Amino acid sequence: MESNQSNDNYHLFSFNGDGLELFKIQIVNWLLTLITFGFYYPWAKAASLKYNYQKTIFSGSPFIFHGTGKEMFKGFLKLVGIIVVFYAAIGILSLLGSRIFMVIGMIVLYAGILFAIPFAVHGSLRYRTSRSSWRGIHFGYRGERRSLAVLFLKGILLSIITLGIYGAWFITDLRRYIIKHIRFGNLTFEYTGQGGDFFWLRLTGGFLSIITGGIYLPWFVVDLYNYFLENIKVTQNGKPLVFENNMSGGSLWGLLIVNFLITICTLGLASPWAQVRTFKYIAQHIWVEGEFDANALEQTEEAYKDATGEDLADYLDINLI
Amino acid sequence: MKTFDITYFDGKTSGAYQGTLTLAYAHWDIRIVLADGAIKSIHWPLKDIQPSEFMGDTNTFKYGDFPQETLECTDPALDEALRETYPYLNFFKKEYYWAIKKGTGTFLLIIGFIIALGWGVYQYILPEIAAVAAMTVPQKTEISWGETMYHNMIEENNEQSPLQYTVDDSLSVLANQFLHKIDFKTNYPLHITIVKEEQVNAFALPGGHIVVFSGILKKVKTKEAFVALLGHEATHVINRHSLKNIFKSVAGYLFVAFFTNDINGVSAIVLDNANNLSNLGYSRKLEAEADANALTIMENNKVNPNGLLHLFETLQGDSKFAPPALLSTHPLTEERITFAQQHIHQVKNIAEHKDLEIIWKQIQSQLKKENTLQKKGKSAK
């Protein structure tokens, strides 16, 4: 199907979700999660993801999320197990009564969490990409768990030693590694951001946000988004594709304020509408530029089954993209 | 038989093939146009067609194992045709299909029901559960919690902090002597602390600490009224009202967080503040219980139960000018006054209590002394 929404060199996104529909879906999710004492959660999550994917259209075709509640339920159970062990450990430590034991125990536990993060990120990336498709072609992530863990722990360590200054380089390294290993048919991805640039961007943006009492924050967020998107280089058959966006701090302010108000005034009931507004905003303001042959992607990835990371990442509140 | 326009993907490449779909018996009949113009016919047996999650503007169906073939159809009539042709099959997930088709009114009803249910649980069931939970706490644990709270709010080692109270040592010694002359029939280690605060207030912590502000002590006219006050506060300790209140507050917080967590973090904060406000005071039930037990304590100790009425009168008289803080945590209702009036009938069996009278006089003179010192201090400035 030749898209009627995109010119030859402009490939657009759109989000066709509807607040009311999403609201109804969430009510069903909510009720089922409530009566199953939370065990429906993975199915609820699968349903919301499926809805959001299905309503996200790129160049005329929707994305599909293939993950199922059943797959994620297994990951969810493992996660529940980990949490139970974690809290049981804390409980036992506090029963021992010794302050030193407690402190050492807590350090070990938090270090354990820190170690778990790269595994969660890896698992989540593998799972999420393998379950995402567009025009029948699945995404994939081919990074190695060990390399990511080494990269992550090195970055954390250096960030701590440099009192956070290394953070910008750390995040850049992570992005470079992750994005380089994302696959989508015969497209290759690359992140060209530089730690130094990112550092100054964050420093000036953070500084301006503080001295303006937060007013500058949306412009800062837009700058960060811009920097991230500008530096993703996609190549198809040797031809470059770039992400472009025309978000502005002003329009982001508008989005955030309205979303905040409708959510607060309804005690959260209107959050599906806020979510739809956000997705629509992002889809409207981002597009891909370049010679893109939508028909020429080949299936390159194999089936992948393991969803532990998906829930772990959720619990640790890691936002991947 | 109706035919639908579709876009077909073979799962090997992203190449889109335009074609048609016919809903046949036991399979879907798909015909696509290949690049060279030839027509290819594809059969999808029904059993291997995977349901789509949601019905929408563009409906996607998958077939077979990885890498799956998919087809996209934008014809809104497909939904109806699927239901007519295969009434026994669900091509969309039932619960969500139902939800999206259902009118908004149903959802408003559901929400109304959930809110009513949530409110009911929060208002009636949660306090009961919290009360039961509070009763399971071992007394030793309760006392140690109370100690921790006490040390957090009472200033020690002269470290001045605006959040902490300053203890009036000499008044506290006298008040404790007074307290220990009364038999509360309890194994809680009751201890009273007089703090230098002009507010008309008093409160009880779990485990035995009673904190009385010097402001209320100045207002209380008789030793009987003071016994009534102590009896009332001691009951909050003995019957674990303070602990129940704390449990109720924590349970309320958890409940609100649970109910709103999935939706939005901010509204949880808003609701949590509301939760705090409503939990500042004791419930009417607990107040009535404390009054009734204060009367029993007074009767047991042969103290004139009219002291409770005197206490109420003092507080009421004061509220003409500014409502004393005590009333915000211990709401004084008409019911409480009526209750006290109705239950004070045994005014016969009353002892003289010379010992209490002596201590009470000492408290009064100590208050006077401090008052003059305070005035002198002010004029000196």
Side-chain angles (χ1 to χ4, degrees), chain B residues 83-101:
Chain B
R83 279 193 298 154
E84 273 175 17
T85 322
Y86 315 110
Y88 47 90
L89 285 180
N90 287 312
F91 287 95
F92 302 98
K93 226 179 168 185
K94 263 182 299 181
E95 50 272 33
Y96 299 108
Y97 183 82
W98 172 85
I100 288 175
K101 285 246 157 171

Side-chain angles (χ1 to χ4, degrees), chain B residues 56-67:
Chain B
D57 319 323
T58 307
N59 289 305
T60 314
F61 298 92
K62 299 182 280 182
Y63 170 79
D65 289 329
F66 187 88

Side-chain angles (χ1 to χ4, degrees), chain A residues 101-225:
Chain A
F101 263 136
M102 191 74 193
V103 171
I104 294 171
M106 291 309 263
I107 290 171
V108 170
L109 284 175
Y110 281 106
I113 294 181
L114 216 57
F115 270 99
I117 291 174
F119 291 89
V121 170
H122 175 84
S124 181
L125 277 167
R126 289 276 283 160
Y127 181 73
R128 185 68 80 83
T129 53
S130 76
R131 291 294 178 272
S132 304
S133 79
W134 181 79
R135 288 187 155 207
I137 304 298
H138 285 247
F139 285 78
Y141 173 70
R142 292 189 184 178
E144 278 169 20
R145 186 184 287 145
R146 253 190 61 172
S147 315
L148 187 72
V150 168
L151 194 67
F152 184 85
L153 294 172
K154 186 193 101 190
I156 286 282
L157 205 67
L158 284 174
S159 300
I160 293 171
I161 292 170
T162 59
L163 303 173
I165 292 171
Y166 187 74
W169 281 266
F170 172 36
I171 292 172
T172 306
D173 281 352
L174 273 185
R175 283 177 175 177
R176 195 176 294 145
Y177 184 80
I178 290 170
I179 289 172
K180 197 171 116 192
H181 290 92
I182 286 178
R183 290 286 179 282
F184 183 47
N186 56 349
L187 297 187
T188 55
F189 295 80
E190 201 188 342
Y191 184 69
T192 56
Q194 296 294 327
D197 296 346
F198 190 53
F199 174 76
W200 287 110
L201 182 72
R202 289 214 304 185
L203 193 71
T204 46
F207 179 70
L208 284 172
S209 300
I210 290 167
I211 57 165
T212 56
I215 293 169
Y216 186 75
L217 205 59
W219 280 270
F220 180 32
V221 170
V222 167
D223 280 348
L224 289 177
Y225 254 112

Side-chain angles (χ1 to χ4, degrees), chain B residues 120-195:
Chain B
V121 169
Y122 179 76
Q123 195 67 8
Y124 299 104
I125 299 175
L126 213 60
E128 296 300 323
I129 296 174
V132 171
M135 293 316 278
T136 65
V137 175
Q139 196 190 31
K140 237 177 95 183
T141 315
E142 192 194 355
I143 292 171
S144 81
W145 286 350
E147 282 297 325
T148 312
M149 290 182 214
Y150 178 79
H151 290 297
N152 281 336
M153 57 174 68
I154 299 297
E155 185 179 288
E156 276 170 47
N157 306 329
N158 294 323
E159 283 172 31
Q160 290 235 334
S161 150
L163 289 172
Q164 292 182 320
Y165 299 121
T166 315
V167 180
D168 188 320
D169 289 316
S170 29
L171 273 177
S172 294
V173 170
L174 289 169
N176 273 307
Q177 286 173 6
F178 190 94
L179 180 83
H180 291 128
K181 295 280 176 208
I182 307 161
D183 180 11
F184 291 94
K185 291 201 192 311
T186 176
N187 52 0
Y188 275 98
L190 294 176
H191 179 268
I192 183 166
T193 308
I194 310 287
V195 296

Side-chain angles (χ1 to χ4, degrees), chain A:
Chain A
M1 186 169 71
E2 279 313 308
S3 167
N4 47 11
Q5 291 180 34
S6 306
N7 277 329
D8 280 358
N9 282 338
Y10 295 91
H11 313 278
L12 309 182
F13 289 92
S14 67
F15 184 73
N16 298 341
D18 174 63
L20 185 61
E21 268 180 15
L22 191 59
F23 174 72
K24 289 171 171 179
I25 290 163
Q26 287 201 350
I27 291 286
V28 172
N29 283 344
W30 206 27
L31 281 177
L32 290 175
T33 307
L34 215 62
I35 41 178
T36 56
F37 299 104
F39 278 100
Y40 186 74
Y41 177 75
W43 281 269
K45 195 181 167 194
S48 326
L49 281 172
K50 282 186 180 190
Y51 183 82
N52 291 331
Y53 270 62
Q54 189 176 328
K55 296 294 177 184
T56 308
I57 315 284
F58 175 64
S59 204
S61 288
F63 287 87
I64 303 178
F65 180 68
H66 299 262
T68 61
K70 206 170 137 192
E71 284 171 354
M72 288 198 263
F73 182 63
K74 288 176 194 157
F76 178 71
L77 281 186
K78 286 185 203 166
L79 173 68
V80 169
I82 292 170
I83 295 170
V84 167
V85 169
F86 180 72
Y87 281 108
I90 290 182
I92 291 166
L93 280 172
S94 63
L95 279 180
L96 286 176
S98 154
R99 250 231 159 87
I100 299 160
F101 263 136
M102 191 74 193
V103 171
I104 294 171
M106 291 309 263
I107 290 171
V108 170
L109 284 175
Y110 281 106
I113 294 181
L114 216 57
F115 270 99
I117 291 174
F119 291 89
V121 170
H122 175 84
S124 181
L125 277 167
R126 289 276 283 160
Y127 181 73
R128 185 68 80 83
T129 53
S130 76
R131 291 294 178 272
S132 304
S133 79
W134 181 79
R135 288 187 155 207
I137 304 298
H138 285 247
F139 285 78
Y141 173 70
R142 292 189 184 178
E144 278 169 20
R145 186 184 287 145
R146 253 190 61 172
S147 315
L148 187 72
V150 168
L151 194 67
F152 184 85
L153 294 172
K154 186 193 101 190
I156 286 282
L157 205 67
L158 284 174
S159 300
I160 293 171
I161 292 170
T162 59
L163 303 173
I165 292 171
Y166 187 74
W169 281 266
F170 172 36
I171 292 172
T172 306
D173 281 352
L174 273 185
R175 283 177 175 177
R176 195 176 294 145
Y177 184 80
I178 290 170
I179 289 172
K180 197 171 116 192
H181 290 92
I182 286 178
R183 290 286 179 282
F184 183 47
N186 56 349
L187 297 187
T188 55
F189 295 80
E190 201 188 342
Y191 184 69
T192 56
Q194 296 294 327
D197 296 346
F198 190 53
F199 174 76
W200 287 110
L201 182 72
R202 289 214 304 185
L203 193 71
T204 46
F207 179 70
L208 284 172
S209 300
I210 290 167
I211 57 165
T212 56
I215 293 169
Y216 186 75
L217 205 59
W219 280 270
F220 180 32
V221 170
V222 167
D223 280 348
L224 289 177
Y225 254 112
N226 273 336
Y227 186 76
F228 177 61
L229 290 173
E230 269 169 20
N231 283 296
I232 299 177
K233 296 280 184 287
V234 189
T235 317
Q236 186 183 31
N237 302 326
K239 287 173 185 163
L241 297 167
V242 285
F243 281 98
E244 295 286 346
N245 90 83
N246 59 359
M247 288 185 220
S248 68
S251 62
L252 187 63
W253 250 129
L255 174 83
L256 293 177
I257 286 177
V258 174
N259 278 357
F260 178 76
L261 287 178
I262 59 176
T263 312
I264 279 292
C265 294
T266 59
L267 291 176
L269 280 177
S271 67
W273 280 270
Q275 201 186 324
V276 165
R277 283 171 47 82
T278 308
F279 286 160
K280 276 192 197 282
Y281 178 84
I282 294 172
Q284 272 165 13
H285 287 84
I286 293 180
W287 69 94
V288 174
E289 235 174 282
E291 283 180 49
F292 173 57
D293 187 350
N295 288 322
L297 297 172
E298 277 166 29
Q299 192 79 273
T300 49
E301 300 309 299
E302 283 166 13
Y304 173 79
K305 294 181 180 71
D306 185 9
T308 313
E310 181 73 7
D311 268 313
L312 203 56
D314 206 34
Y315 184 72
L316 298 171
D317 211 5
I318 304 166
N319 270 322
L320 290 175
I321 301 171

Side-chain angles (χ1 to χ4, degrees), chain B residues 99-372:
Chain B
I100 288 175
K101 285 246 157 171
K102 210 73 189 170
T104 313
T106 315
F107 284 87
L108 291 178
L109 273 178
I110 292 176
I111 289 166
F113 178 72
I114 292 175
I115 290 174
L117 192 75
W119 175 249
V121 169
Y122 179 76
Q123 195 67 8
Y124 299 104
I125 299 175
L126 213 60
E128 296 300 323
I129 296 174
V132 171
M135 293 316 278
T136 65
V137 175
Q139 196 190 31
K140 237 177 95 183
T141 315
E142 192 194 355
I143 292 171
S144 81
W145 286 350
E147 282 297 325
T148 312
M149 290 182 214
Y150 178 79
H151 290 297
N152 281 336
M153 57 174 68
I154 299 297
E155 185 179 288
E156 276 170 47
N157 306 329
N158 294 323
E159 283 172 31
Q160 290 235 334
S161 150
L163 289 172
Q164 292 182 320
Y165 299 121
T166 315
V167 180
D168 188 320
D169 289 316
S170 29
L171 273 177
S172 294
V173 170
L174 289 169
N176 273 307
Q177 286 173 6
F178 190 94
L179 180 83
H180 291 128
K181 295 280 176 208
I182 307 161
D183 180 11
F184 291 94
K185 291 201 192 311
T186 176
N187 52 0
Y188 275 98
L190 294 176
H191 179 268
I192 183 166
T193 308
I194 310 287
V195 296
K196 290 175 182 165
E197 291 287 328
E198 288 310 305
Q199 267 189 335
V200 180
N201 204 356
F203 58 87
L205 293 172
H209 278 288
I210 297 170
V211 178
V212 176
F213 289 18
S214 52
I216 196 169
L217 206 54
K218 285 174 193 164
K219 293 274 191 271
V220 174
K221 293 285 174 294
T222 62
K223 67 175 188 294
E224 286 81 11
F226 192 48
V227 174
L229 178 68
L230 293 181
H232 183 99
E233 294 302 331
T235 309
H236 285 323
V237 173
I238 297 162
N239 292 3
R240 298 195 166 188
H241 292 174
S242 311
L243 191 66
K244 281 177 186 172
N245 240 18
I246 292 165
F247 268 55
K248 193 180 135 193
S249 173
V250 172
Y253 171 77
L254 290 177
F255 184 74
V256 166
F258 169 77
F259 230 65
T260 52
N261 193 19
D262 284 334
I263 307 172
N264 194 283
V266 187
S267 47
I269 295 166
V270 175
L271 284 176
D272 179 42
N273 281 331
N275 179 45
N276 277 341
L277 287 176
S278 70
N279 266 303
L280 272 174
Y282 293 104
S283 71
R284 285 171 180 213
K285 200 179 119 201
L286 297 188
E287 277 304 288
E289 201 179 303
D291 284 347
N293 197 50
L295 282 179
T296 315
I297 290 169
M298 294 169 91
E299 279 161 23
N300 288 342
N301 287 279
K302 297 180 181 163
V303 172
N304 191 337
N306 276 312
L308 186 62
L309 276 177
H310 294 158
L311 179 67
F312 288 171
E313 278 158 20
T314 314
L315 295 175
Q316 264 190 327
D318 193 80
S319 64
K320 274 174 198 160
F321 304 100
L326 183 73
L327 293 189
S328 67
T329 53
H330 300 61
L332 181 62
T333 54
E334 284 297 320
E335 292 145 58
R336 283 180 67 190
I337 298 168
T338 329
F339 170 86
Q341 283 166 343
Q342 282 168 354
H343 287 80
I344 301 168
H345 33 72
Q346 296 176 304
V347 197
K348 314 158 205 166
N349 194 6
I350 289 167
E352 226 180 313
H353 291 296
K354 278 194 176 149
D355 45 352
L356 281 183
E357 189 64 37
I358 293 166
I359 306 172
W360 181 243
K361 288 234 166 87
Q362 285 175 325
I363 291 176
Q364 292 300 313
S365 60
Q366 179 66 26
L367 273 171
K368 261 184 208 153
K369 212 161 80 187
E370 285 182 9
N371 221 10
T372 25

